[in-house]
Amino acid sequence: MPDRRPSLEDVARLAGVSITTASRVINGSAHPVSEQTRRRVLKAVATLDYHPDALARNLKRQLTQTIGAVVHDISDSYYSEVVRGAEDHARRHGYVLMVSNAYRIGERILSCLRTFREHRAAGVVLAGSDLTDRGHWHEMQRQVESMQRQGIVVVGLATQKVRMPCIRTDNVAIGRMMTEYLLGKGHRRIAFVSGPQAIFTSHERHQGYREALERAQVAYDPRLVVWDDFTKEGGFRAATRLIEAGPPFTAMFASNDEMAIGALLAFRTRGIRVPQDVSLVGSNDIPLARYSYPPLTTLRVPMYDMGVQAVELILQVAAGRDRAKAIRDLQDFQHFVPLQIVERDSVASMA
Amino acid sequence: MPDRRPSLEDVARLAGVSITTASRVINGSAHPVSEQTRRRVLKAVATLDYHPDALARNLKRQLTQTIGAVVHDISDSYYSEVVRGAEDHARRHGYVLMVSNAYRIGERILSCLRTFREHRAAGVVLAGSDLTDRGHWHEMQRQVESMQRQGIVVVGLATQKVRMPCIRTDNVAIGRMMTEYLLGKGHRRIAFVSGPQAIFTSHERHQGYREALERAQVAYDPRLVVWDDFTKEGGFRAATRLIEAGPPFTAMFASNDEMAIGALLAFRTRGIRVPQDVSLVGSNDIPLARYSYPPLTTLRVPMYDMGVQAVELILQVAAGRDRAKAIRDLQDFQHFVPLQIVERDSVASMA
DNA sequence: TTGAAAGCGCTAACAA
DNA sequence: TTGTTAGCGCTTTCAA
């Protein structure tokens, strides 16, 4: 066996047929091939341990079997669930998924996009890239538009300042739902632990929080709101600040579960009991949420499905004839995934 | 601007130069190009919004800029940390990472390997694929050997029955260390929650557990050992079974943190306090470990670094001249990463 | 300093 | 039923 990667030509030569015939057999083409020839080719493939070169094939076919995913940080449960769904679905359809962590760094998001397009991805799933930075939009706008124009679908998983199809959550609704839930339990002094200022998701959830308060005629108290990272550490810091410097509160809404887990530790550290002393809710329902202590009341976001659906959208377009047109038609497509509150044990009524 | 993806030829034509010259400018070749020409080309690139085609480039160059990663399940913290390290490092060197979840299904692992080689990955990181199934080894053996022969490095992150370079943990040592730690705290009845029978990692940790017991002259009691999935659910189930049907124990060693988290819930559900009633240790030190209640005493495994190192190995080989030879030389390379116990609050002394 | 041309491995239109 | 051939978009000798 050769050290070099065998090519179709090697197979054809060994089987004593033309390269075309070999190709036909290997691809299971509809074109008729005699049983005997077929066998000879297959034999040669086995002998040489031949594996087709996807690069050459895709180059020729002018299409590709890859999809890119830009995420904030793959080790954050939210993104890993999304990616898992995306990968499962991509693989199911013979596509491979390229993944990149962009850590919400504008330049890095753009660079991932560039890399994926160079690799001729059929589409890109953009998660955790809803930066509020205006300078960044501009460049994104350029990049995404030009990708779309060239037939590469870019699907967003959050509010985007750039026009593109989205599979998303209604973050304002999330903020409202959780706040209303707490209000419904009789809480009036509700602290809000927000995600980073740098992304829209945070602002939207915060807005939902305000809206719910307003509707319930509860005054909005800015001292009850703290912004930090969407991480356990961020939640810990935010809750700590609130406990130490903020006015008293009977409930807290952490804008994602990771932060809620961090807040839980902050409370524990100070001997504050959840939910006896303070109630707590998160959002997203990451797998961990039911294993925290106490199990976290939160809101289920179908992360896995979002990954699946984003990929499905890409697949749809890729399968069509005029991709650029299909993309234009989808420009304003927005699918809002269903949301559902999951009640566990971190909330007490103010009865 | 065209809907079609512009090619180098389009750029050349617009700039009024040859395709060769355009290529030289775009690749920053050492070959001299007049300043004026360079500018014209760059201008054309901008106008057309040209992005080189990585497929064509790699096809020609006979190399590739991609690395594959086969993991068990990307939403398991262990793998997502490894992948994060791998991706960061790959990207730093201009490579893109393709990721696949194989869920420890033999056929699926093989299919990922096939896909990656077809896509001409420079190498593949194999994590969570240390299946004990003999039928599977055989096929793996064939596949991996043929990949290595063709210059594709396959790096393992766990014991492999197939010869390949590995960046790994000494799982027997892990089993021993944690058990000895518990013994050192005066525990004698130590339950062991093992990972799935299907992979070597579980058996190795189990063996370490036995060895430590033996050295300490503590009888091994099979009723104190339960096997289940390496997940929170698995840990919950295993601990529940142990509590309900097993003989009494004062400490439990869960072979990974996820399972420990699950066990924690099982204890809590039954009003068993950790560490007052029973001590608990896990392994790996996933980010969550310090946020559990109580914070988990565990063993730090440098997951991120393992990903980095696995990719580094691939990069080294890819950069060399004779790849197949470099791979042969690395065949038995085994790097054992440093391990360190992290003491938190889930263990009490039997003083 | 520039360009012509060969060819990476493959598919598909066309011919036989 | 089989084969010839023209590229896909790019890099890279080699020649001018």
Side-chain angles (χ1 to χ4, degrees):
Chain A
M1 297 198 199
D3 264 22
R4 185 175 56 82
R5 196 184 160 108
S7 71
L8 195 52
E9 197 187 337
D10 298 321
V11 173
R13 193 177 315 116
L14 181 62
V17 299
S18 79
I19 181 175
T20 311
T21 303
S23 168
R24 292 206 258 253
V25 172
I26 288 164
N27 293 301
S29 142
H31 198 102
V33 173
S34 80
E35 196 41 42
Q36 198 206 29
T37 310
R38 150 166 289 111
R39 243 195 294 274
R40 282 227 306 286
V41 172
L42 259 17
K43 178 102 180 286
V45 165
T47 311
L48 293 174
D49 196 18
Y50 169 78
H51 289 263
D53 184 326
L55 298 200
R57 174 183 290 174
N58 290 338
L59 176 61
K60 178 61 191 170
R61 283 199 191 146
Q62 279 300 68
L63 54 75
T64 168
Q65 316 249 54
T66 57
I67 288 175
V70 181
V71 301
H72 161 50
D73 177 346
I74 190 69
S75 56
D76 174 319
S77 297
Y78 177 83
Y79 300 101
S80 61
E81 278 297 323
V82 168
V83 167
R84 196 165 66 84
E87 203 276 323
D88 282 356
H89 202 60
R91 166 150 286 270
R92 213 173 287 141
H93 292 266
Y95 279 68
V96 331
L97 192 74
M98 304 181 285
V99 180
S100 253
N101 298 112
Y103 301 114
R104 295 199 190 109
I105 298 165
E107 186 36 65
R108 197 142 168 178
I109 295 171
L110 288 161
S111 128
C112 292
L113 249 27
R114 245 174 281 135
T115 309
F116 290 154
R117 86 186 288 184
E118 289 186 355
H119 281 266
R120 275 223 188 137
V124 176
V125 180
L126 206 53
S129 306
D130 51 327
L131 307 192
T132 51
D133 176 50
R134 285 171 161 278
H136 175 67
W137 300 350
H138 215 78
E139 305 215 48
M140 274 300 268
Q141 178 85 20
R142 264 182 48 72
Q143 182 71 2
V144 172
E145 272 183 4
S146 107
M147 288 173 78
Q148 309 272 35
R149 214 178 303 116
Q150 291 175 16
I152 304 168
V153 208
V154 181
V155 184
L157 287 203
T159 300
Q160 299 289 343
K161 277 302 164 183
V162 180
R163 274 176 84 202
M164 64 175 93
C166 288
I167 303 294
R168 41 174 309 211
T169 51
D170 181 338
N171 289 308
V172 177
I174 290 178
R176 220 186 298 120
M177 285 168 81
M178 298 317 282
T179 309
E180 277 168 0
Y181 177 81
L182 255 12
L183 287 164
K185 294 291 180 185
H187 294 277
R188 286 299 173 268
R189 308 254 345 132
I190 303 172
F192 182 66
V193 167
S194 177
Q197 301 257 13
I199 60 176
F200 285 110
T201 300
S202 311
H203 294 273
E204 291 163 354
R205 293 190 181 182
H206 176 241
Q207 190 196 326
Y209 162 78
R210 291 195 70 153
E211 285 181 16
L213 250 32
E214 198 165 329
R215 285 192 200 179
Q217 317 235 23
V218 173
Y220 172 81
D221 183 346
R223 295 171 307 158
L224 242 24
V225 175
V226 174
W227 302 70
D228 208 310
D229 259 6
F230 257 152
T231 60
K232 302 184 193 71
E233 290 68 28
F236 179 82
R237 282 190 302 262
T240 302
R241 255 180 296 157
L242 242 11
I243 297 167
E244 289 180 349
F249 53 90
T250 65
M252 173 182 282
F253 169 21
S255 38
N256 80 351
D257 294 341
E258 299 267 353
M259 295 187 97
I261 303 289
L264 235 22
L265 179 59
F267 288 133
R268 216 148 47 215
T269 304
R270 290 178 159 63
I272 298 169
R273 295 163 309 161
V274 176
Q276 296 87 335
D277 303 326
V278 59
S279 290
L280 176 70
V281 298
S283 172
N284 293 5
D285 195 25
I286 59 176
L288 177 57
R290 51 178 298 252
Y291 285 91
S292 66
Y293 177 65
L296 197 62
T297 288
T298 182
L299 180 130
R300 179 161 304 149
V301 171
M303 304 167 281
Y304 182 92
D305 292 340
M306 291 173 76
V308 170
Q309 288 174 42
V311 165
E312 178 58 27
L313 200 71
I314 292 170
L315 260 23
Q316 296 283 348
V317 174
R321 318 205 79 269
D322 189 343
R323 310 221 300 256
K325 172 162 185 333
I327 293 173
R328 277 195 301 278
D329 293 344
L330 280 172
Q331 207 70 281
D332 295 308
F333 176 84
Q334 301 267 321
H335 175 69
F336 287 90
V337 297
L339 268 13
Q340 191 198 351
I341 290 182
V342 182
E343 298 193 80
R344 288 199 272 251
D345 313 327
S346 61
V347 174
S349 284
M350 285 296 282
Chain B
M1 295 199 199
D3 263 23
R4 185 175 56 81
R5 191 185 165 109
S7 71
L8 194 52
E9 196 185 338
D10 298 321
V11 173
R13 193 177 316 116
L14 181 62
V17 300
S18 78
I19 180 176
T20 312
T21 303
S23 167
R24 291 206 259 255
V25 172
I26 287 164
N27 293 301
S29 142
H31 197 101
V33 173
S34 81
E35 196 42 40
Q36 198 207 28
T37 310
R38 150 166 289 110
R39 244 193 295 272
R40 283 226 307 285
V41 172
L42 260 17
K43 178 101 181 288
V45 165
T47 311
L48 293 174
D49 195 19
Y50 170 77
H51 289 265
D53 183 327
L55 298 199
R57 174 182 288 174
N58 290 336
L59 176 61
K60 178 62 192 170
R61 284 201 190 142
Q62 280 298 68
L63 54 74
T64 169
Q65 315 247 56
T66 57
I67 287 175
V70 180
V71 301
H72 161 51
D73 177 346
I74 191 68
S75 58
D76 173 319
S77 296
Y78 177 83
Y79 300 100
S80 61
E81 278 297 324
V82 168
V83 167
R84 196 165 65 85
E87 202 276 323
D88 282 356
H89 202 60
R91 167 151 286 269
R92 214 174 285 140
H93 292 267
Y95 279 69
V96 331
L97 191 74
M98 304 180 285
V99 180
S100 254
N101 297 113
Y103 301 114
R104 295 198 190 109
I105 298 164
E107 186 37 65
R108 196 141 170 179
I109 295 172
L110 287 161
S111 129
C112 292
L113 248 28
R114 245 173 280 135
T115 310
F116 290 154
R117 87 186 288 185
E118 289 185 357
H119 280 265
R120 275 223 188 137
V124 176
V125 179
L126 207 52
S129 307
D130 51 326
L131 306 193
T132 51
D133 177 49
R134 288 172 160 278
H136 176 66
W137 300 351
H138 215 77
E139 305 215 48
M140 274 300 267
Q141 178 85 20
R142 264 182 51 72
Q143 182 71 359
V144 172
E145 272 182 4
S146 105
M147 288 174 78
Q148 308 274 34
R149 214 177 304 118
Q150 290 175 16
I152 304 168
V153 209
V154 181
V155 184
L157 286 203
T159 301
Q160 298 290 345
K161 278 302 166 183
V162 181
R163 274 176 83 201
M164 66 175 92
C166 287
I167 303 293
R168 41 174 308 207
T169 50
D170 181 339
N171 289 309
V172 177
I174 290 178
R176 221 186 298 119
M177 285 167 81
M178 299 316 283
T179 309
E180 277 167 1
Y181 177 81
L182 255 13
L183 287 165
K185 294 291 180 185
H187 293 279
R188 287 298 172 272
R189 308 255 343 134
I190 303 173
F192 182 66
V193 168
S194 176
Q197 300 257 14
I199 61 176
F200 285 110
T201 300
S202 310
H203 293 275
E204 291 163 354
R205 294 189 179 182
H206 175 242
Q207 191 196 328
Y209 162 78
R210 290 194 70 152
E211 284 181 16
L213 250 32
E214 198 165 330
R215 285 192 202 179
Q217 315 235 20
V218 172
Y220 171 81
D221 182 347
R223 294 171 308 159
L224 243 24
V225 175
V226 174
W227 303 70
D228 209 309
D229 261 4
F230 258 152
T231 60
K232 303 183 192 71
E233 289 69 28
F236 179 82
R237 282 190 301 262
T240 302
R241 255 179 296 157
L242 243 10
I243 297 166
E244 290 182 345
F249 52 90
T250 65
M252 174 182 282
F253 168 22
S255 38
N256 80 350
D257 293 342
E258 299 267 354
M259 294 188 97
I261 303 289
L264 235 22
L265 179 59
F267 288 134
R268 215 148 49 216
T269 304
R270 291 181 159 60
I272 298 169
R273 296 163 306 162
V274 176
Q276 297 87 334
D277 303 327
V278 59
S279 290
L280 176 69
V281 297
S283 171
N284 293 5
D285 195 26
I286 58 176
L288 176 58
R290 50 178 300 252
Y291 285 91
S292 66
Y293 177 65
L296 196 63
T297 288
T298 182
L299 180 128
R300 179 162 303 149
V301 170
M303 303 166 281
Y304 182 92
D305 292 341
M306 290 173 76
V308 171
Q309 289 175 42
V311 165
E312 177 60 26
L313 199 73
I314 291 170
L315 260 23
Q316 296 283 350
V317 174
R321 319 205 78 267
D322 188 343
R323 311 222 298 259
K325 174 165 184 327
I327 293 173
R328 277 195 300 278
D329 294 344
L330 280 172
Q331 207 70 280
D332 295 309
F333 176 85
Q334 300 269 321
H335 175 69
F336 286 90
V337 298
L339 268 14
Q340 191 198 350
I341 290 181
V342 183
E343 298 193 79
R344 288 198 270 251
D345 313 324
S346 61
V347 173
S349 285
M350 283 296 281

